[in-house]
Amino acid sequence: MSVLAVAGCVDLSGATRGAPDSADQTLDQISLYNDEVVVTAPRGYCLDATQIKRGTFGAFIPIGSCESLTGQAGIPVEPGLITVSVLPRQSDRAMPSASDIAASMPGDEPLQTIDGDGLSIVHFASGGARALPGGDSRYWRGGMVINGHLMGLAVYGPQDSPLADQQGLRLLMDLAEELRRRSPQLDAEVTSATRNGSERGIGTGVKRLLGGLFPNSG
């Protein structure tokens, strides 16, 4: 699966390798920022080790089906592209609202906005094919905060894929729940973050994550 790379150095410290045959290109999980955030691939999907980027800007982790990345038979799942982007920790990090996420992609038309408990989501009607050539124009984006780290999630699918519709929403929500479950719960005084990003305003860092670190924004 082709993924557009983001500038930055590759650092796989804290990463767990997959099966020996796929060790050069896939990972089961990766720990970021001294284990403050742990990213694990959903069942049947693998982290694309060849495209993981880490640097002062943050971290970018692309995820695809294990079968598509390794060429080996595995757990059957819908093929597609999942991305997780993470900014460095900030003690007063604000979680973006769904309207913040929609505003970060002014050229893409939102179909649906969801402000959930700890996860904001937008279903876009256009823009998905920029990230996944030949993909469906519809795609999902989400924003959340874990231990003071602002995180952007996205799900893209091929043309007419269930991932472009409600199955993509379920996958995004499952991914967010797994990120919370796998990552440690640090001292709230150190990692405190407001839940309402719109009250504080969406800063340049948030815009950069939501509109810049995802692969389809170049």
Side-chain angles (χ1 to χ4, degrees):
M1 178 178 297
S2 175
V3 179
L4 298 182
V6 182
C9 59
V10 177
D11 179 358
L12 298 182
S13 59
T16 301
R17 291 291 182 183
D21 290 343
S22 61
D24 291 339
Q25 53 192 332
T26 64
L27 300 170
D28 293 329
Q29 71 176 37
I30 186 169
S31 299
L32 305 170
Y33 297 103
N34 297 318
D35 300 330
E36 293 177 356
V37 175
V38 179
V39 179
T40 301
R43 186 172 184 268
Y45 294 89
C46 290
L47 279 61
D48 185 351
T50 67
Q51 297 292 339
I52 291 176
K53 303 297 179 182
R54 293 181 64 180
T56 56
F57 68 92
F60 171 74
I61 302 95
I63 302 170
S65 71
C66 297
E67 286 189 341
S68 65
L69 290 173
T70 65
Q72 301 174 13
I75 299 172
V77 294
E78 289 292 336
L81 170 63
I82 306 167
T83 64
V84 178
S85 302
V86 190
L87 286 184
R89 179 167 57 84
Q90 181 175 308
S91 61
D92 61 346
R93 178 69 74 188
M95 193 186 91
S97 66
S99 61
D100 289 333
I101 298 173
S104 72
M105 300 301 296
D108 297 349
E109 177 188 357
L111 284 171
Q112 181 182 5
T113 58
I114 304 170
D115 284 300
D117 183 14
L119 176 65
S120 299
I121 302 171
V122 178
H123 190 199
F124 285 97
S126 58
R130 292 199 307 272
L132 191 64
D136 201 291
S137 59
R138 298 166 297 162
Y139 70 102
W140 297 89
R141 286 185 186 271
M144 63 189 300
V145 172
I146 292 181
N147 293 326
H149 294 274
L150 179 64
M151 304 185 64
L153 319 177
V155 175
Y156 309 87
Q159 187 67 42
D160 298 323
S161 167
L163 294 181
D165 207 334
Q166 294 304 302
Q167 188 167 325
L169 172 60
R170 291 192 293 270
L171 182 59
L172 189 72
M173 295 175 68
D174 289 346
L175 174 63
E177 184 61 31
E178 190 69 4
L179 288 167
R180 281 190 287 260
R181 188 177 74 85
R182 294 278 184 169
S183 301
Q185 295 184 358
L186 303 184
D187 191 334
E189 293 184 0
V190 177
T191 62
S192 61
T194 177
R195 286 186 176 271
N196 191 346
S198 60
E199 289 182 358
R200 300 177 58 87
I202 182 168
T204 56
V206 180
K207 288 182 179 178
R208 186 173 181 223
L209 177 73
L210 299 176
L213 288 187
F214 287 110
N216 70 337
S217 55

